[in-house]
Structure formats: structure tokens, C-alpha cells
Amino acid sequence: MAIPRDSAKLFKSVHPYGSNGGAFAQDQPDLQSIAPSWRLAQKGDEKDRGGTVRTIRGRLPDPRYLLFSFLMLFRFLSTAFVVAGAFAPLSAEAKSSCGLASHYGIGDGYHGQTAADGSRFDAHGLTVASPSLPLGTRLRVVNPANGKTVVVKVTDRGPWHNNRILDLSYAAFLRVANPSQGVARLCFARA
């Protein structure tokens, strides 16, 4: 059933971009008039019908949404860095398992003190201090210069010198190198 043209004027359309007050059939906007105003200008189409350059102004997301997105991204990345940082020392030491090692316990006041694992440090025991290896880990320490080897247990934290990788007890260091030299180049692996 067709609607007579004069009765179609009763149905006025209300368009979000406004209404020109015409009849039902004449109120339908053409596609160009409702094209998104945020569409960036293409080459050769720098200006729209009104002569203004099309921009994305007025169509940016809500600032609260941007802040929430930024905070969630920051939280994700910080968690990822913390998790990666927990495993980084192990992988770094696994790759560079040779370096300078020192000794401690005799003449420095550490003999008899409480170690990081809660035990009493014994300078005459076969223990080692490592900045990041898990406490209780057994290591085989080798001196490549003379081939001497000792198996030690990680009980403490240290050394606190940038260029040293391990801090052996006096007795452990004595088994692989001469303690009078202070430091020696040693290699280690998990035993």
C-alpha cells in the first residue's frame, strides 16, 4: 500500500545532523552530507564541500579512557620488567660464568657472623657468596690457570664490587688459588 504524498508530510525525520523540515522522502540526506567529519583528507581531496580541511578534531577518545589505557599499559610493562628482572641475574651469570672472584672471612671480621641463609659463616668451610644465585645452590668452581676445582655451597650474598662475580670463603679460595693474591679469575657451573 502506497502512502499518499501529502500524508507523508506527517512523518518528519529527525536526523542527528539536523532536519531541513521537508517531507519523508525529501528528508533523507545524501551520503556525502553524513560522511564522517573526522576522516583525514586524502590526496587530491584536501577540502570538503564547505572549503574546510577535514580533521580529527572533535573525535578524539575521552581523556579518562586514555588515562586508564596508559595506566594499564604501565602496569603491564612494570610487571613484565619485574618478572624479567627476577630471572635476568641467573641468565647473565649462566652466560658469563667466568670472572674475578675474591675471598673473605679471615682478618675482615666476617668469621662467625650470620650469613644470608641464617647459618654462621665459617671461613674454614667450603661456602661462597653470590649476588643473585639462590641460597643453597651447589657450585663447582674451577681455576682455569691451574685446573684446581672445589665444590661450594651458596650461603651468603656478595661480593659488593662491580667487577667480581663470587666471594669464596677463605678455605674454598685456598683450594683453587693462592689467597695472598686477593682475587683470581675463576669459572663456575652448577654442581
Side-chain angles (χ1 to χ4, degrees):
M1 171 177 187
I3 300 174
R5 195 144 184 81
D6 52 339
S7 65
K9 290 185 179 183
L10 298 174
F11 302 102
K12 300 248 180 185
S13 68
V14 179
H15 192 269
Y17 296 108
S19 173
N20 60 9
F24 174 77
Q26 292 147 350
D27 277 350
Q28 298 302 320
D30 63 339
L31 291 177
Q32 289 291 55
S33 67
I34 62 169
S37 60
W38 50 268
R39 184 177 65 87
L40 293 175
Q42 305 273 329
K43 282 194 172 192
D45 185 29
E46 288 84 18
K47 299 194 177 218
D48 64 4
R49 287 188 198 171
T52 59
V53 176
R54 295 177 182 169
T55 64
I56 61 169
R57 192 168 12 123
R59 299 289 184 167
L60 293 176
D62 185 12
R64 292 174 294 180
Y65 174 76
L66 291 176
L67 179 64
F68 176 75
S69 300
F70 174 76
L71 290 175
M72 293 305 294
L73 179 66
F74 178 76
R75 188 175 192 184
F76 171 76
L77 290 177
S78 62
T79 304
F81 285 130
V82 167
V83 170
F87 295 108
L90 292 176
S91 62
E93 285 188 6
K95 290 178 185 173
S96 62
S97 60
C98 291
L100 292 178
S102 57
H103 66 86
Y104 73 116
I106 299 292
D108 56 11
Y110 287 110
H111 180 71
Q113 297 292 320
T114 304
D117 67 350
S119 66
R120 292 244 179 243
F121 173 69
D122 181 13
H124 304 291
L126 299 178
T127 60
V128 66
S130 170
S132 59
L133 287 172
L135 296 173
T137 304
R138 294 208 174 270
L139 299 177
R140 179 178 306 280
V141 180
V142 179
N143 186 344
N146 59 18
K148 293 183 178 180
T149 304
V150 65
V151 176
V152 292
K153 180 181 176 183
V154 177
T155 60
D156 209 355
R157 293 293 175 216
W160 305 117
H161 298 280
N162 291 338
N163 60 347
R164 297 183 193 166
I165 59 171
L166 294 176
D167 209 358
L168 284 86
S169 65
Y170 182 82
F173 195 86
L174 183 61
R175 296 228 178 150
V176 293
N178 185 359
S180 64
Q181 68 189 82
V183 295
R185 180 165 175 75
L186 302 176
C187 297
F188 70 91
R190 292 184 187 231

